[in-house]
């Protein structure tokens, strides 16, 4: 995602050295007092160092918060900020729990009026949402209100690895450019803030105010329970409900990720909750009191692991309403690790009944689309169901080679139910708003590919963010495909095999892969033999999203080339195929 002005500055920390501090060791903990003169206390992080609990306390008013930080021991990878603006002129104490003697990262804690970091690092996406700094996983609370799309997300402001789960927040009018807003929800006495959803309470059923945004999330402490928080200023600030949790834990360890929406048939709110390896539906008139409606999932779909981040929503297919239930699970995806399955059927306000389809069905066969859900409250007149997923995989998410930030979301995608020739499927395709980003367009002549590869220059001087559109007609070829390449011999391969009936992505030689031995694994999606495959490939620095036939097949993959891919090659193992209407769009 593009960002202006301050982000262009490199990782220079303009440090105000006037930080006066005093340290004392009391039993198991080392405490340091800081007389606050600046806006931030900056803590040095080393990702491989053990996590240390840091308690931040002030005396007036008495506030205590605890963060987990990989405090640097032998080198500094980057810095994380504790915002102390409100306490200028006062004393703030950092207690490093369980630490007896000072270490590098404690000695080097600084105060500064600025927190700057390398926003434009090599793999920062240009047109996908990524957190300004720090770690991100699941999209949360996606809701539309008064012209703004709100995106909340699982966020760690104190490191680029998972931890300190909070809800980060950004808004957009077009889902293409986003404005970062302050962290919306932070951990409290009930625990960390895990995934959940947000609704607009149009009829003030909860009594927080008409059109209040109400966030429903999992408080993850000793157990997982559901809590709520509300905003009456269009999401700019949230107040946690005084009587949380609203849905206490009934003795189920995995009891999380509530997706709530208003159900007209039942005339009440319906919560879809991941409960171990099923989904449980709950109903409520007011978002505060919840009653179990039914449970779905036993004996159907994939049960390779715990179910997470469900979403239930209606769609129209051939003039009739069909309900779609999305469920993520990790591990156990069709290509290893995290993936999202779905069911199509009917929901009568109480019970979900699936159509007879060849489950499990997967929303995306790439390795890097997880925990996606859809926006609430998009007006019915608009009628779009828009999905965004987290573009990573728990197999390696914490190790991908970025530094000041980790992870991005998929492009926002419009979902539709279509028939792929065999049965109904849920297809997903980038929202039309993305077309506004197209820059210079190269059109290439049609090609006939026969055995040997044909290479065409792909935006010689591209910046790693572009889109390729083309139609491939297999003709007499059975095993064929294309690849992105660079001068370092790195390659990302897209292989079609009509003999095995799979389309595959091979990222083994795509650049940096050795940060985790599960990263190089391949990925396959079932391919129906067709006369033509319309291809759209969105490439954004370190990600590629492949859409075949307007999203009948979708594959999302990360890759980390050490130089932008600037050549597009085609090949056929035997027989010939043609490529028509090749368009390459530089993305501004
Ligand atoms: C899915 C998930 C959710 C949970 C969140 C915690 O990626 O495991 O089930 O709420 O991440 O960050």
């Amino acid at each position: 995602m593009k960002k202006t002005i301050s982000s262009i500055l490199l990782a220079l920390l303009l440090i105000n050295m006037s930080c006066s501090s005093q340290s004392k060791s009391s039993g198991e903990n080392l405490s340091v007092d800081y007389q606050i003169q600046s806006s931030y206390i900056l803590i040095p992080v080393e990702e491989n160092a053990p996590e240390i609990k840091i308690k931040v306390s002030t005396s007036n008013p008495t506030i205590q918060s605890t963060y987990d930080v990989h405090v640097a021991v032998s080198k500094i990878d980057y810095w994380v900020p504790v915002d102390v603006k409100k306490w200028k002129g006062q004393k703030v104490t950092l207690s490093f729990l369980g630490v007896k003697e000072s270490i590098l990262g404690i000695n080097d804690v600084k105060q500064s009026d600025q927190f700057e970091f390398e926003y434009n690092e090599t793999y920062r996406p240009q047109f996908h949402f990524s957190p300004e700094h720090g770690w991100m996983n699941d999209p949360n609370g996606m809701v539309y209100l008064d012209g703004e799309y709100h995106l909340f997300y699982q966020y760690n402001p104190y490191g680029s690895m998972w931890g300190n789960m909070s809800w980060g927040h950004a808004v957009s009018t077009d889902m293409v450019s986003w404005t970062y807003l302050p962290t919306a929800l932070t951990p409290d006495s009930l625990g960390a803030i895990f995934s959940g959803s947000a609704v607009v309470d149009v009829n003030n059923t909860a009594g927080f105010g008409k059109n209040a945004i109400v966030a429903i999330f999992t408080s993850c402490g000793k157990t997982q329970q559901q809590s709520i928080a509300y905003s009456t200023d269009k999401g700019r600030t949230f107040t946690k409900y005084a009587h949380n949790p609203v849905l206490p834990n009934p003795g189920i360890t995995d009891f999380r990720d509530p997706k709530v929406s208003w159900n007209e048939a039942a005339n009440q709110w319906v919560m879809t909750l991941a409960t171990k390896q099923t989904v449980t539906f709950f109903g409520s008139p007011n978002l505060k009191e919840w009653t179990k409606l039914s449970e779905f999932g036993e004996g159907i779909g994939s049960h390779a692991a715990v179910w997470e981040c469900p979403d239930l929503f209606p769609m129209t297919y051939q003039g009739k309403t069909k309900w779609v239930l999305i469920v993520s699970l990790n591990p156990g995806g069709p290509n290893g690790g995290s993936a999202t399955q779905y069911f199509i059927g009917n929901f009568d306000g109480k019970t979900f009944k699936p159509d007879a389809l060849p489950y499990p069905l997967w929303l995306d066969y790439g390795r890097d689309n997880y925990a996606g859900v859809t926006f609430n409250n998009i007006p019915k007149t608009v009628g779009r169901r828009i999905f965004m997923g987290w573009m990573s995989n728990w197999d390696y998410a914490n190790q991908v080679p970025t530094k000041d930030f980790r992870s991005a979301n998929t492009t926002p995608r419009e979902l539709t139910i279509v028939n792929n020739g065999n049965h109904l499927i849920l297809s997903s395709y980038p929202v039309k708003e993305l077309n506004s980003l197209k820059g210079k367009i190269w059109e290439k002549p049609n090609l006939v590919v026969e055995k040997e590869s044909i290479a065409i220059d792909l935006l010689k001087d591209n910046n790693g963010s572009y889109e390729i559109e083309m139609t491939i007609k297999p003709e007499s070829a059975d095993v064929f495909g294309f690849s992105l390449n660079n001068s370092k011999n790195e390659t990302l391969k897209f292989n079609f095999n009509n003999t095995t009936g799979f389309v595959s992505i091979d990222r083994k030689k795509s650049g940096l892969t050795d940060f985790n031995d599960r990263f190089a694994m391949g990925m396959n999606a079932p391919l129906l033999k067709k006369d033509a495959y319309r291809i759209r490939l969105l490439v954004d620095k370190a990600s590629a999203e492949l859409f075949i036939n307007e999203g009948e097949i979708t594959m999302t993959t990360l890759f980390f080339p050490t130089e932008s891919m600037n050549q597009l090659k085609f090949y056929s193992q035997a027989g010939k195929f043609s490529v028509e209407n090749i368009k390459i769009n530089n993305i501004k």
Side-chain angles (χ1 to χ4, degrees):
M1 185 181 133
K2 282 200 184 58
K3 191 170 175 273
T4 46
I5 333 174
S6 64
S7 62
I8 293 153
L9 295 164
L10 290 178
L12 296 172
L13 294 161
L14 301 179
I15 286 154
N16 172 350
M17 302 295 282
S18 59
C19 138
S20 56
S21 64
Q22 217 184 14
S23 76
K24 53 183 180 297
S25 181
S26 71
E28 291 298 294
N29 308 327
L30 185 81
S31 297
V32 188
D33 293 336
Y34 297 89
Q35 196 57 38
I36 300 303
Q37 292 154 358
S38 310
S39 302
Y40 302 103
I41 290 182
L42 301 174
I43 304 174
V45 168
E46 178 184 352
E47 288 204 334
N48 291 329
E51 216 169 43
I52 292 178
K53 281 203 184 307
I54 305 179
K55 193 165 84 194
V56 179
S57 4
T58 64
S59 47
N60 181 23
T62 318
I63 294 182
Q64 289 194 339
S65 333
T66 306
Y67 311 118
D68 295 316
V69 181
H70 293 264
V71 180
V73 175
S74 55
K75 67 171 174 37
I76 297 174
D77 291 330
Y78 52 83
W79 302 69
V80 293
V82 178
D83 191 335
V84 288
K85 277 187 216 82
K86 324 191 251 286
W87 301 307
K88 272 195 187 167
Q90 296 184 38
K91 190 182 80 177
V92 165
T93 305
L94 299 196
S95 304
F96 298 86
L97 308 188
V99 176
K100 292 198 194 108
E101 276 170 33
S102 197
I103 49 173
L104 170 76
I106 300 179
N107 294 337
D108 280 14
V109 167
K110 312 269 196 238
Q111 288 192 51
S112 169
D113 274 327
Q114 267 149 322
F115 169 56
E116 284 164 10
F117 47 90
E118 190 182 348
Y119 186 85
N120 286 337
E121 47 173 294
T122 317
Y123 298 120
R124 174 70 78 171
Q126 295 296 291
F127 62 96
H128 288 79
F129 179 81
S130 55
E132 191 172 29
H133 66 88
W135 161 273
M136 174 176 83
N137 57 292
D138 318 352
N140 295 152
M142 285 162 51
V143 69
Y144 177 84
L145 175 63
D146 294 344
E148 274 183 336
Y149 294 90
H150 290 262
L151 167 66
F152 301 87
Y153 46 92
Q154 287 288 279
Y155 184 44
N156 182 4
Y158 306 109
S160 306
M161 293 167 93
W162 188 88
N164 303 302
M165 277 301 113
S166 307
W167 275 26
H169 188 195
V171 287
S172 171
T173 54
D174 59 4
M175 294 174 284
V176 175
S177 25
W178 294 90
T179 304
Y180 297 113
L181 293 177
T183 304
L185 296 170
T186 56
D188 55 34
S189 59
L190 292 177
I193 314 294
F194 271 22
S195 287
S197 52
V199 296
V200 175
D201 191 2
V202 180
N203 295 321
N204 195 17
T205 61
F208 300 134
K210 193 171 160 49
N211 286 332
I213 296 185
V214 182
I216 307 99
F217 55 90
T218 301
S219 294
C220 183
K222 284 200 186 86
T223 61
Q224 300 185 347
Q225 344 193 47
Q226 316 323 315
S227 296
I228 59 176
Y230 59 93
S231 168
T232 49
D233 57 1
K234 300 195 177 178
R236 268 47 186 184
T237 56
F238 277 85
T239 307
K240 288 191 183 124
Y241 177 51
H243 305 292
N244 280 337
V246 291
L247 181 55
N249 189 294
I252 302 173
T253 320
D254 296 296
F255 188 71
R256 60 175 179 269
D257 308 339
K259 173 70 192 239
V260 175
S261 43
W262 182 256
N263 186 280
E264 272 163 23
N267 197 33
Q268 64 171 343
W269 299 103
V270 168
M271 178 194 291
T272 306
L273 191 72
T275 46
K276 225 191 268 179
Q277 286 196 21
T278 62
V279 150
T280 304
F281 301 105
F282 294 86
S284 170
N286 56 12
L287 299 165
K288 294 172 176 164
E289 288 133 33
W290 294 92
T291 319
K292 181 171 167 177
L293 300 173
S294 66
E295 195 172 338
F296 167 80
E298 220 180 294
I300 186 168
S302 173
H303 287 269
V306 137
W307 287 14
E308 301 184 315
C309 301
D311 191 359
L312 172 77
F313 48 86
M315 305 211 52
T316 306
Y317 177 67
Q318 294 188 332
K320 296 213 179 78
T321 301
K322 289 243 168 238
W323 287 78
V324 175
L325 177 63
I326 288 182
V327 180
S328 284
L329 91 171
N330 174 69
N335 290 299
S338 322
T340 302
Q341 61 175 330
Y342 64 88
F343 304 87
I344 301 177
N346 185 43
F347 184 73
D348 61 5
K350 196 166 176 237
T351 311
F352 180 80
K353 290 227 165 61
D355 290 357
L357 290 169
Y359 301 114
L361 294 169
W362 302 99
L363 186 131
D364 188 315
Y365 282 85
R367 296 256 282 141
D368 297 299
N369 181 356
Y370 192 60
V373 284
T374 65
F375 277 100
N376 268 337
N377 207 43
I378 293 187
K380 276 217 201 91
T381 46
V382 178
R384 296 198 292 176
R385 183 52 62 175
I386 300 169
F387 166 99
M388 258 198 279
W390 169 48
M391 204 155 47
S392 199
N393 188 312
W394 282 116
D395 270 0
Y396 41 73
N398 276 288
Q399 288 103 40
V400 297
T402 58
K403 188 177 66 123
D404 283 315
F405 78 103
R406 259 204 195 91
S407 301
N409 282 344
T410 65
T411 46
R413 301 173 182 180
E414 186 169 348
L415 302 180
T416 40
I417 296 178
V418 297
N419 192 316
N420 70 354
N422 273 357
H423 56 81
L424 294 190
I425 55 160
L426 187 63
S427 81
S428 53
Y429 202 59
V431 294
K432 59 179 184 313
E433 284 85 342
L434 274 176
N435 296 342
S436 68
L437 291 175
K438 287 183 187 176
K440 193 165 176 184
I441 299 185
W442 275 257
E443 295 197 36
K444 298 284 176 191
N446 295 347
L447 296 173
V448 175
V449 185
E450 221 169 342
K451 238 177 169 178
E452 77 275 16
S453 74
I454 294 185
I456 56 177
D457 286 340
L458 180 66
L459 315 175
K460 263 258 172 277
D461 51 355
N462 79 65
N463 64 355
S465 300
Y466 50 84
E467 177 191 52
I468 301 172
E469 291 173 287
M470 58 194 169
T471 299
I472 294 184
K473 296 193 169 158
E475 296 174 15
S476 62
D478 260 348
V479 183
F480 57 94
F482 62 94
S483 61
L484 303 178
N485 310 277
N486 64 18
S487 70
K488 304 256 179 84
N489 279 331
E490 292 166 351
T491 179
L492 183 68
K493 269 178 90 173
F494 301 84
N495 191 56
F496 291 68
N497 190 326
N498 269 324
T499 310
T500 58
F502 282 109
V503 54
S504 317
I505 301 182
D506 180 347
R507 61 182 176 188
K508 271 198 291 302
K509 299 201 173 105
S510 61
L512 307 179
T513 59
D514 62 0
F515 50 87
N516 182 300
D517 55 14
R518 291 179 66 79
F519 186 75
M521 278 165 55
M523 53 202 103
N524 305 310
L527 179 74
L528 292 181
K529 201 164 181 160
K530 300 216 165 163
D531 291 342
Y533 299 110
R534 288 177 301 283
I535 306 291
R536 187 163 172 205
L537 184 72
L538 291 167
V539 178
D540 194 5
K541 303 280 188 185
S543 67
E545 292 169 278
L546 173 68
F547 300 93
I548 303 179
N549 294 348
E550 289 75 46
E552 267 179 36
I553 299 173
T554 304
M555 297 180 87
T556 304
T557 185
L558 295 179
F559 69 113
F560 298 92
T562 61
E563 172 189 280
S564 292
M565 300 296 196
N566 52 20
Q567 206 173 51
L568 172 63
K569 283 190 187 168
F570 296 93
Y571 63 90
S572 156
Q573 256 177 36
K576 70 171 194 196
F577 71 97
S578 61
V579 192
E580 296 175 1
N581 301 322
I582 310 173
K583 270 195 210 150
I584 296 163
N585 309 307
N586 205 355
I587 294 197
K588 290 181 278 188

